Amino acid sequence: EGYNFSLAALHYEKTKEEIEALGSWSEEIEKAPSNIEPFTPPDNIGQVDESIIYKAIVCEETGRPFNITRDELAFLKNHNIPIPRKYPDVRTIMRYKQLAVLNPREIQCSLCQKSIVSYYPPEWGFEKVVCADCYQKIVI
């Protein structure tokens, strides 16, 4: 896969032109073959039987086909979770985007008022972020 399909692209956004210059941009996404009829699983996991492991589910975002394994089906049923509608890589990137916080911003240490860089977004509500020196004084 190309850079644009990697987790690195979430941290270090680059334009298509910048990545093409490095030779690692990928336009090719495996699409479902035309002879595969897309299967749309029911919303209720209780209505799903084991025959689903033999069916190709087509990602509603990318069009890539994927399967549910027997173990995955057992887990989903055990936890009453509906069958996913998106390709596994798409789900991983969606989860990762929520965790990847690399937007530095300048704030003041809540103890000494020294200027520091914080990677916590304001919406997380961290009110007491301290500099390394103040942190060392507190924990030692």
Side-chain angles (χ1 to χ4, degrees):
E1 299 278 339
Y3 182 89
N4 51 316
F5 290 109
S6 73
L7 294 179
L10 297 175
H11 289 295
Y12 308 104
E13 293 183 27
K14 297 195 178 293
T15 65
K16 178 179 178 180
E17 291 74 27
E18 290 174 307
I19 300 307
E20 282 179 331
L22 300 172
S24 62
W25 185 271
S26 178
E27 290 288 344
E28 295 182 29
I29 296 178
E30 172 192 351
K31 298 282 187 194
S34 59
N35 63 343
I36 291 181
E37 185 177 323
F39 174 72
T40 304
D43 292 330
N44 184 343
I45 189 72
Q47 297 173 335
V48 177
D49 63 25
E50 197 166 294
S51 68
I52 195 169
I53 66 174
Y54 302 106
K55 297 181 180 174
I57 301 169
V58 177
C59 174
E60 58 189 27
E61 190 169 312
T62 65
R64 293 177 86 172
F66 67 97
N67 297 95
I68 300 296
T69 66
R70 185 173 277 113
D71 290 339
E72 191 175 12
L73 178 61
F75 177 85
L76 295 171
K77 281 186 168 273
N78 190 34
H79 295 283
N80 198 31
I81 301 171
I83 298 293
R85 308 279 174 127
K86 295 186 175 160
Y87 191 79
D89 290 350
V90 172
R91 289 181 269 148
T92 298
I93 289 172
M94 288 171 54
R95 284 190 306 272
Y96 194 78
K97 278 183 180 179
Q98 296 171 359
L99 300 173
V101 179
L102 290 177
N103 296 321
R105 63 187 182 96
E106 194 170 308
I107 64 169
Q108 272 65 49
C109 170
S110 62
L111 297 178
C112 71
Q113 305 307 310
K114 181 169 80 174
S115 181
I116 58 174
V117 175
S118 172
Y119 291 90
Y120 297 115
E123 58 269 17
W124 284 10
F126 287 102
E127 296 174 11
K128 295 184 179 182
V129 179
V130 298
C131 66
D133 294 333
C134 290
Y135 178 77
Q136 290 299 322
K137 290 175 190 174
I138 295 168
V139 297
I140 295 179

